[in-house]
Amino acid sequence: MKIYISADMEGVGGIVHSDQTDSSHPEYQRGRKLMTAEVNAAVEGALQGGATELLVNDSHGGMRNILIEELHPDAILLSGATKQFSMMAGIDRTYDAVFFTGYHARAATSFANLDHTWNGPTILQNAWLNNVEVGETGLNAALAGYFGVAVALVTGDQTTCAQAKELLGADLETVAVKEALGRAAAKNLHPTKAHALIRDAAARALASRKKRAPFTFKSPITLRLALARSSQADRCLLMPNVKLVAPRVVEFTHEDYAVLYNAFRALMVLADVHV
Ligand SMILES: [Zn+2]
């Protein structure tokens, strides 16, 4: 049984501030240890649940956060960037289930640590797929769904878990490792406790994975992005087939979600302008 883990950082227990996820800040070195330990808990649970192959995709920032020397030896680590499909690099039809660890709520969410969607809130304010508001959980779950693979476990703060269940189904296994009281404050479980919960949930998730349907959208699929500034929308319009549908709001439609996902990433590069 092959398991794919996309590991982000903002939703890791003990992490509440961007200093802890920013590689130029001294607090980051502890953040990456906490991240690696949560991934290990998910790997251990997956192995208990019957996993025989595990790919861990480092999905935060420059994607060189996980400490390979501290990673569970049964996992393969995909690290670094730029890589096709980014936070979902390496996903294909051969996987049996996907886990999202350390995930965070979508942009413009209250009571959610470091809520954002891809680039920070100074660039992207909201994103929708066929009128369903999505963050990274939705965008990435839909790419897993494109390959016929369902998400079986999401970990992060309580709001991330609630958003994931709303989108992917109430029966989704989630672990809230912290209760966010705001964008940069949370009540955190001790790592020992959080790891035990993640381990148990990962094992349970694989026991019930066959009941879960892949997350997909009816084709053609329209991606709508609300940018923070008009200049960012101007730059998105440089890409063929992108339409301005309201001030600062652009749309791109395609029948193939993999193409749309790549287009989204290109738009995020184009939109990275602060004038
Ligand atoms: Zn991140």
Side-chain angles (χ1 to χ4, degrees), residues 8-10 59-61 87 104 116 136:
D8 204 351
M9 195 165 189
E10 291 88 348
S59 297
H60 172 77
M87 298 180 79
H104 50 81
H116 69 281
E136 292 169 23

Side-chain angles (χ1 to χ4, degrees), residues 48-261:
Q48 281 169 24
T52 52
E53 264 187 76
L54 290 126
L55 180 66
V56 174
N57 180 24
D58 194 324
S59 297
H60 172 77
M63 304 184 164
R64 300 193 312 270
N65 311 285
I66 291 170
L67 296 159
I68 193 166
E69 62 274 29
E70 293 183 15
L71 186 64
H72 193 292
D74 288 348
I76 299 288
L77 177 63
L78 174 47
S79 66
T82 299
K83 53 196 175 191
Q84 195 190 7
F85 297 144
S86 186
M87 298 180 79
M88 295 303 289
I91 187 70
D92 63 30
R93 298 197 159 275
T94 65
Y95 284 91
D96 295 286
V98 165
F99 293 172
F100 293 159
T101 62
Y103 265 49
H104 50 81
R106 63 180 180 250
T109 302
S110 298
F111 308 113
N113 283 169
L114 301 165
D115 60 303
H116 69 281
T117 301
W118 226 263
N119 293 356
T122 58
I123 297 180
L124 187 61
Q125 296 190 327
N126 315 85
W128 295 264
L129 290 170
N130 285 359
N131 293 318
V132 176
E133 191 169 4
V134 290
E136 292 169 23
T137 298
L139 288 158
N140 293 335
L143 193 66
Y146 173 84
F147 288 106
V149 189
V151 176
L153 172 70
V154 175
T155 74
D157 65 24
Q158 86 284 13
T159 306
T160 306
C161 295
Q163 288 184 350
K165 284 190 177 217
E166 197 185 324
L167 205 60
L168 306 179
D171 58 340
L172 175 72
E173 288 288 349
T174 63
V175 179
V177 295
K178 53 186 173 178
E179 181 190 342
L181 306 182
R183 184 170 163 78
K187 291 182 193 167
N188 297 279
L189 293 180
H190 187 275
T192 308
K193 184 74 189 289
H195 298 164
L197 293 174
I198 292 171
R199 218 177 284 125
D200 291 349
R204 272 199 312 274
L206 294 192
S208 61
R209 74 186 163 82
K210 289 202 173 118
K211 291 187 220 135
R212 301 199 50 72
F215 181 62
T216 55
F217 285 90
K218 200 171 171 321
S219 185
I221 305 160
T222 295
L223 170 73
R224 186 161 75 246
L225 303 174
L227 288 314
R229 293 167 181 261
S230 55
S231 58
Q232 295 159 349
D234 292 342
R235 299 250 304 183
C236 287
L237 293 173
L238 297 174
M239 194 161 92
N241 302 319
V242 173
K243 290 187 298 197
L244 189 71
V245 295
R248 298 183 290 105
V249 183
V250 298
E251 279 187 1
F252 177 86
T253 300
H254 205 279
E255 64 276 5
D256 185 315
Y257 186 73
V259 172
L260 190 133
Y261 188 92

